[in-house]
Amino acid sequence: MSAAPDLPFLSGDTSTARLMRDKDWSGPGLGPPQQWPQSLRSVVSLMLGSAFPMFVAWGPALCTLYNDAYAEILGAKHPAGMGQPFLDIWQEIREDLVPLVARAVRGEAFFMENLPLLMRRHGYDEDTWFTFSYSPVCDEAGAVAGFFCVCTETTGMVLAERHQRAEQERLQSLFSQAPGFVAVMRGPDHVFEIANQAYVQLTGFRDVIGKPLALALPEVVEQGFVKLLDQVYSSGEPYVGRSVRLMLNRERDAPPTEAWLDFVYQPLRDASGVVNGVFVQGHEVTELQRTQQALLAFSNSIPAIAWVAAADGPLERFNSQWQAYTGQTAESALGNGWMASLHPDDRIVARENWARVRGGNQEWQVDYRLRSAAGAYRWFQARAVPQLDAEGRVLRWFGTTTDIEETRAAAQVLQDADRQKDEFLATLAHELRNPLAPIRTAVQLLASPAATAQVRAQATAVITRQVGHMAHLLDDLIDIARITRRRLTLKKERMSVDELVETALETARPLAEARRQLLVATVASPGLHLVADPVRLAQILSNLLNNASKYTDAGGRITLEVTLAPGAVVFTVSDSGIGMSEAAIGKVFAMFAQEQSALDRSEGGLGIGLALVKGLVELHDGTVTAHSAGPGLGSRFTVTLPGPVPATGSEHAAQAVAPSPVPGRARIVLLADDNRDAVDLLAELLRMDGHVVHTVNDGLQAVAQARQLQPDVLVLDIGMPGKNGYEVARHVRAQPGGDRPLLIAATGWGQDDDRQKAMAAGFDLHLTKPFDPLRLSALISERVI
């Protein structure tokens, strides 16, 4: 629709032009467009022809006319706002607009930039910003009739500027507060453009901005940092430094201090891609470096080899112990180079171990052999723990490799000892069962009414012989225990070597004769004397002779030779028996040792005879050695003892003869033992000698019977219920006349301290079970009461 012929200023096809043409302007306000003054018409024509937001407020009510661009600013206020008073349209910002409108209607033209206004135009309040100008408009009479506004909404621009400014402030804050140091240097002279607080602090709070590096920090020039920056600036390639040492003058008139840095020099380029500066970013790692140096010093101080490996296995670092042991430098050992020192047979184990733990995150350990610088291999144990990230992934491995050669050897010794112990227990059980069988048979024969006197005598002899064998086994066990615990005391005296040899031969002869073996003894110099324990020395030679007889075939030869060496008397026992292997010789004196090939020839024993020999010889400050040319070639044992001692005149070999028991008057004897069979049989034997014997089976009964019977002799077991033997003895001695009875301790405990405890409790004599009942009878009969 076109405008009326007299309204050409409303021509045009914009929405606001059509609205003005079609609007009913009757009523108060501007009136119909035909009556609008020319000045208003001119402004409206200019406004409708512009794409820039414009409006005019005219007349006393400041009725508003606007174009399409301003209609968009009005939002929901359009089209109702067309022709309405300006301040009524913008009620929500009326207080902001009133002073501005007053200025304009007074004839002042002015410009406002980015004026903030809280406007409601889309159904809600929103922050807006506008840049606009108010210009007074006069009517034909020259009076101000309204004002004209050219405006643009700058809300988007203001918000964008604010966001950009906030982002810049945030970045500047991050830049300033970054824990690492940051700086920007421009130009070939590396002039500081920016430096954050950490960089300023690093340099001792010097003013570096606007200064070339060589001038700002002159001490770094000779340390090569300027040359590095020149290289980055000219090549455009970044440089990364790890744990780089830097000497800085952080305080005025103070010597330089050491700092260690991790940093990167990153080239900066202009819009055309040309390098025009260098970005510097890094961290001071001085404390970390010192900690690492301390850890390295610590790792070098420990005796074990310490190392660090990558997550997939290659070695990254060794301490000094690696080179000290292997002779291989740490550099050549890095990666997988360390395997050159690994025993060839263990390399597969090492590779399989890494393959097994790769991808896992658990501690592990593995044993292998490493070659020393001298070429010898020793066993080591490698143990490793992982360093994990937050997700549990392995970053690297920390490990130690410890020499376990002696530990493995000790473990082997323990295993051998445990095996020998098991063998010993099996042998002990066998050796104790062997005599029990004939003893049980002999007892049954003695109990048989059909047994003849000859059978009874034979059975008695069997029991006596087998009990003696068991007593010998127990004596050997007790002796070896005393030696092991260093509690066996020698009773040394001046003794004749000739008598010693004769005693040993007498002990060994029955076994040799039974096997039809030739037993020969030679003494190089008769009349020799030693200071030694005659009983123990005879035990040494007897054990060696019996041992030789056991492992020599029937008809073989056994010799005992006594010779002199400088300051020593040498006893050599040789045989033509089965001999020994080299391995057997090395352990023949070990506890429970018996060569496997000889076990089927053994005639009994616990395998402690030679260990006992060695212990007794060493107690005499002597030595014992074994030799054999090999299996089947016989054996030779040599005992060397200090001596001989000088003769003191005519030496007579006087054989002490034990007096036979002389029956005396009958004694009242009290036997106390919780083993009823043992005490009853012993009582019967003593009654056969004419003694009056009473028996009890616990300590309380022993105390009561001792008070009632007033016995001449008390034979007390130590381990009894109620009261032990020590307590009973002390009680008897404390009674009136308690010093009169003969107190005899009868116990299975036969150590020296056991005897001392018995004497301290008041006992007169100490008998170790199993003892000879005839000896007890003799002691009782000899007692003068």
Side-chain angles (χ1 to χ4, degrees), residues 454-494:
Q454 182 181 356
V455 170
R456 291 177 180 275
Q458 183 181 0
T460 301
V462 167
I463 293 173
T464 301
R465 185 165 55 253
Q466 295 302 325
V467 168
H469 177 64
M470 293 179 69
H472 178 71
L473 291 177
L474 293 175
D475 287 343
D476 279 355
L477 282 173
I478 292 171
D479 285 344
I480 201 68
R482 289 175 178 174
I483 292 173
T484 302
R485 297 169 62 187
R486 302 180 183 274
R487 300 182 68 174
L488 190 145
T489 303
L490 296 180
K491 298 178 180 179
K492 291 185 179 182
E493 61 183 55
R494 181 182 174 82

Coordinates of all heavy atoms in Angstrom, one line a residue, residues 454-494:
Q454 N 70.1 -124.1 82.6 CA 71.0 -123.6 81.6 C 70.3 -122.5 80.7 O 70.9 -121.5 80.4 CB 71.4 -124.7 80.7 CG 72.4 -124.3 79.5 CD 72.7 -125.5 78.7 OE1 72.3 -126.6 78.9 NE2 73.5 -125.2 77.6
V455 N 69.0 -122.7 80.4 CA 68.2 -121.7 79.7 C 68.1 -120.4 80.5 O 68.2 -119.3 79.9 CB 66.8 -122.3 79.3 CG1 65.9 -121.2 78.7 CG2 67.0 -123.4 78.3
R456 N 67.8 -120.6 81.8 CA 67.7 -119.4 82.6 C 69.0 -118.6 82.6 O 69.0 -117.4 82.6 CB 67.3 -119.8 84.0 CG 65.9 -120.3 84.1 CD 65.5 -120.7 85.6 NE 64.2 -121.2 85.7 CZ 63.1 -120.5 85.8 NH1 63.3 -119.2 85.9 NH2 61.9 -121.0 85.9
A457 N 70.1 -119.3 82.7 CA 71.4 -118.6 82.7 C 71.7 -117.9 81.4 O 72.2 -116.8 81.4 CB 72.5 -119.7 83.0
Q458 N 71.3 -118.6 80.3 CA 71.5 -118.0 79.0 C 70.6 -116.8 78.9 O 71.0 -115.8 78.3 CB 71.2 -119.0 77.9 CG 71.4 -118.5 76.5 CD 71.0 -119.6 75.5 OE1 70.6 -120.7 75.8 NE2 71.2 -119.2 74.2
A459 N 69.4 -116.9 79.3 CA 68.5 -115.7 79.2 C 69.0 -114.6 80.1 O 68.9 -113.4 79.6 CB 67.1 -116.1 79.7
T460 N 69.5 -114.9 81.3 CA 70.0 -113.8 82.1 C 71.2 -113.1 81.4 O 71.4 -111.9 81.5 CB 70.5 -114.4 83.5 OG1 69.3 -115.0 84.1 CG2 71.0 -113.3 84.4
A461 N 72.1 -113.9 80.8 CA 73.2 -113.3 80.1 C 72.8 -112.4 78.9 O 73.4 -111.4 78.7 CB 74.1 -114.5 79.6
V462 N 71.8 -112.9 78.2 CA 71.2 -112.1 77.1 C 70.7 -110.7 77.6 O 71.0 -109.7 77.1 CB 70.1 -112.8 76.4 CG1 69.4 -111.9 75.4 CG2 70.7 -114.0 75.6
I463 N 70.0 -110.8 78.7 CA 69.4 -109.5 79.3 C 70.6 -108.6 79.7 O 70.6 -107.4 79.4 CB 68.5 -109.8 80.4 CG1 67.2 -110.5 79.9 CG2 68.1 -108.5 81.2 CD1 66.3 -111.0 81.0
T464 N 71.5 -109.2 80.4 CA 72.7 -108.4 80.9 C 73.4 -107.8 79.7 O 73.8 -106.6 79.7 CB 73.6 -109.3 81.7 OG1 72.9 -109.9 82.8 CG2 74.8 -108.5 82.2
R465 N 73.7 -108.6 78.7 CA 74.4 -108.0 77.5 C 73.6 -107.0 76.8 O 74.2 -105.9 76.4 CB 74.7 -109.2 76.6 CG 75.6 -108.8 75.4 CD 76.2 -110.0 74.7 NE 75.2 -111.0 74.3 CZ 75.0 -112.2 74.9 NH1 75.7 -112.5 75.9 NH2 74.0 -113.0 74.4
Q466 N 72.3 -107.2 76.6 CA 71.5 -106.2 75.8 C 71.3 -104.9 76.6 O 71.3 -103.8 76.0 CB 70.2 -106.8 75.4 CG 70.3 -108.0 74.4 CD 71.0 -107.6 73.1 OE1 70.9 -106.5 72.7 NE2 71.8 -108.5 72.6
V467 N 71.1 -105.1 77.9 CA 71.0 -103.9 78.7 C 72.3 -103.1 78.7 O 72.3 -101.8 78.7 CB 70.6 -104.2 80.2 CG1 70.7 -103.0 81.1 CG2 69.2 -104.7 80.2
G468 N 73.4 -103.8 78.7 CA 74.7 -103.1 78.6 C 74.8 -102.3 77.3 O 75.4 -101.2 77.3
H469 N 74.3 -103.0 76.2 CA 74.4 -102.3 74.9 C 73.5 -101.0 74.9 O 74.0 -100.0 74.4 CB 73.9 -103.3 73.8 CG 73.8 -102.6 72.5 ND1 74.9 -102.2 71.8 CD2 72.7 -102.4 71.7 CE1 74.5 -101.7 70.6 NE2 73.2 -101.8 70.5
M470 N 72.3 -101.1 75.5 CA 71.5 -99.9 75.6 C 72.1 -98.9 76.5 O 72.0 -97.7 76.1 CB 70.1 -100.3 76.1 CG 69.3 -101.2 75.2 SD 67.7 -101.7 75.9 CE 66.8 -100.1 75.9
A471 N 72.7 -99.3 77.6 CA 73.4 -98.3 78.4 C 74.5 -97.6 77.7 O 74.8 -96.4 77.8 CB 73.9 -99.0 79.7
H472 N 75.3 -98.4 76.8 CA 76.3 -97.8 76.1 C 75.8 -96.7 75.1 O 76.4 -95.7 74.9 CB 77.1 -98.9 75.3 CG 78.2 -98.4 74.4 ND1 79.4 -97.8 74.9 CD2 78.3 -98.3 73.1 CE1 80.2 -97.5 73.9 NE2 79.5 -97.7 72.8
L473 N 74.7 -97.1 74.4 CA 74.0 -96.1 73.5 C 73.7 -94.8 74.3 O 73.9 -93.7 73.8 CB 72.8 -96.7 72.9 CG 73.0 -97.8 71.9 CD1 71.6 -98.3 71.4 CD2 73.8 -97.4 70.7
L474 N 73.1 -95.0 75.4 CA 72.7 -93.8 76.2 C 73.9 -93.0 76.7 O 73.9 -91.8 76.7 CB 71.8 -94.2 77.4 CG 70.4 -94.8 77.0 CD1 69.7 -95.3 78.3 CD2 69.6 -93.8 76.3
D475 N 74.9 -93.7 77.1 CA 76.1 -93.0 77.5 C 76.7 -92.2 76.4 O 77.2 -91.0 76.6 CB 77.2 -94.0 78.0 CG 76.8 -94.6 79.4 OD1 76.0 -94.0 80.0 OD2 77.4 -95.6 79.7
D476 N 76.7 -92.7 75.2 CA 77.2 -92.0 74.0 C 76.4 -90.7 73.8 O 76.9 -89.6 73.5 CB 77.2 -92.8 72.7 CG 78.5 -93.8 72.7 OD1 79.3 -93.6 73.6 OD2 78.6 -94.6 71.8
L477 N 75.1 -90.9 73.8 CA 74.2 -89.7 73.6 C 74.5 -88.7 74.7 O 74.5 -87.5 74.4 CB 72.7 -90.2 73.7 CG 72.2 -90.9 72.4 CD1 70.8 -91.4 72.7 CD2 72.2 -89.9 71.3
I478 N 74.6 -89.1 75.9 CA 74.8 -88.1 77.0 C 76.1 -87.4 76.8 O 76.3 -86.2 76.9 CB 74.8 -88.8 78.4 CG1 73.3 -89.3 78.7 CG2 75.2 -87.9 79.5 CD1 73.2 -90.2 79.9
D479 N 77.2 -88.2 76.4 CA 78.5 -87.6 76.2 C 78.5 -86.6 75.1 O 79.0 -85.5 75.2 CB 79.5 -88.7 75.9 CG 79.9 -89.4 77.2 OD1 79.6 -88.9 78.3 OD2 80.5 -90.6 77.1
I480 N 77.9 -86.9 74.0 CA 77.8 -86.0 72.8 C 77.0 -84.8 73.2 O 77.4 -83.6 72.7 CB 77.3 -86.7 71.6 CG1 77.8 -85.9 70.3 CG2 75.8 -86.8 71.5 CD1 79.2 -86.0 70.0
A481 N 76.0 -84.9 74.0 CA 75.2 -83.7 74.4 C 76.0 -82.8 75.3 O 76.0 -81.6 75.2 CB 73.9 -84.2 75.1
R482 N 76.8 -83.4 76.2 CA 77.7 -82.6 77.0 C 78.7 -81.9 76.2 O 79.0 -80.7 76.5 CB 78.4 -83.5 78.0 CG 77.5 -84.1 79.1 CD 78.2 -85.1 80.0 NE 77.4 -85.6 81.1 CZ 77.8 -86.6 81.9 NH1 79.0 -87.1 81.7 NH2 77.0 -87.0 82.8
I483 N 79.3 -82.6 75.2 CA 80.3 -81.9 74.4 C 79.7 -80.8 73.6 O 80.2 -79.7 73.5 CB 81.0 -82.9 73.5 CG1 81.8 -83.9 74.3 CG2 81.9 -82.2 72.4 CD1 82.4 -85.0 73.5
T484 N 78.5 -81.0 73.0 CA 77.9 -80.0 72.2 C 77.5 -78.8 73.1 O 77.7 -77.6 72.6 CB 76.6 -80.6 71.6 OG1 76.9 -81.7 70.8 CG2 75.9 -79.5 70.7
R485 N 77.1 -79.0 74.3 CA 76.8 -77.9 75.2 C 78.0 -77.4 76.0 O 77.8 -76.5 76.9 CB 75.6 -78.3 76.1 CG 74.3 -78.7 75.4 CD 73.4 -79.4 76.3 NE 73.0 -78.5 77.4 CZ 72.2 -78.9 78.4 NH1 71.8 -80.2 78.5 NH2 71.9 -78.1 79.4
R486 N 79.1 -77.9 75.7 CA 80.4 -77.5 76.4 C 80.3 -77.7 77.9 O 80.7 -76.9 78.7 CB 80.7 -76.0 76.1 CG 80.9 -75.8 74.6 CD 81.2 -74.3 74.3 NE 81.3 -74.0 72.9 CZ 82.4 -74.2 72.2 NH1 83.5 -74.7 72.7 NH2 82.4 -73.9 70.9
R487 N 79.7 -78.8 78.3 CA 79.5 -79.1 79.7 C 80.2 -80.4 80.2 O 79.9 -80.8 81.3 CB 78.0 -79.1 80.0 CG 77.3 -77.9 79.7 CD 75.8 -77.9 80.0 NE 75.6 -77.9 81.4 CZ 74.4 -77.8 82.0 NH1 73.3 -77.7 81.3 NH2 74.3 -77.9 83.3
L488 N 81.0 -81.0 79.3 CA 81.7 -82.2 79.7 C 83.1 -81.7 80.2 O 83.8 -81.0 79.6 CB 81.9 -83.1 78.5 CG 82.5 -84.5 78.8 CD1 81.9 -85.5 77.9 CD2 84.0 -84.5 78.7
T489 N 83.4 -82.2 81.4 CA 84.6 -81.8 82.1 C 85.5 -83.0 82.2 O 85.2 -84.1 82.6 CB 84.3 -81.3 83.6 OG1 83.4 -80.2 83.5 CG2 85.6 -80.8 84.2
L490 N 86.8 -82.7 81.7 CA 87.8 -83.8 81.7 C 88.4 -83.9 83.1 O 88.6 -82.9 83.8 CB 88.9 -83.5 80.7 CG 88.4 -83.5 79.2 CD1 89.6 -83.1 78.3 CD2 87.8 -84.8 78.8
K491 N 88.7 -85.1 83.5 CA 89.4 -85.3 84.7 C 90.8 -85.8 84.4 O 91.1 -87.0 84.3 CB 88.7 -86.4 85.6 CG 87.3 -85.9 86.0 CD 86.6 -87.0 86.8 CE 85.2 -86.5 87.1 NZ 84.4 -87.6 87.9
K492 N 91.7 -84.8 84.1 CA 93.0 -85.1 83.6 C 93.9 -85.6 84.8 O 93.8 -85.1 85.9 CB 93.6 -83.9 82.9 CG 93.0 -83.5 81.6 CD 93.7 -82.4 80.9 CE 93.0 -82.1 79.6 NZ 93.8 -81.0 78.9
E493 N 94.8 -86.5 84.4 CA 95.8 -86.9 85.4 C 97.0 -87.5 84.6 O 96.9 -87.7 83.4 CB 95.3 -88.0 86.3 CG 94.8 -89.2 85.6 CD 94.2 -90.3 86.5 OE1 93.2 -89.9 87.2 OE2 94.6 -91.4 86.4
R494 N 98.1 -87.7 85.3 CA 99.3 -88.3 84.6 C 99.0 -89.8 84.4 O 98.6 -90.5 85.3 CB 100.5 -88.1 85.5 CG 101.8 -88.7 85.0 CD 102.9 -88.5 86.0 NE 104.1 -89.2 85.5 CZ 105.0 -88.7 84.6 NH1 104.7 -87.5 84.1 NH2 106.0 -89.3 84.3

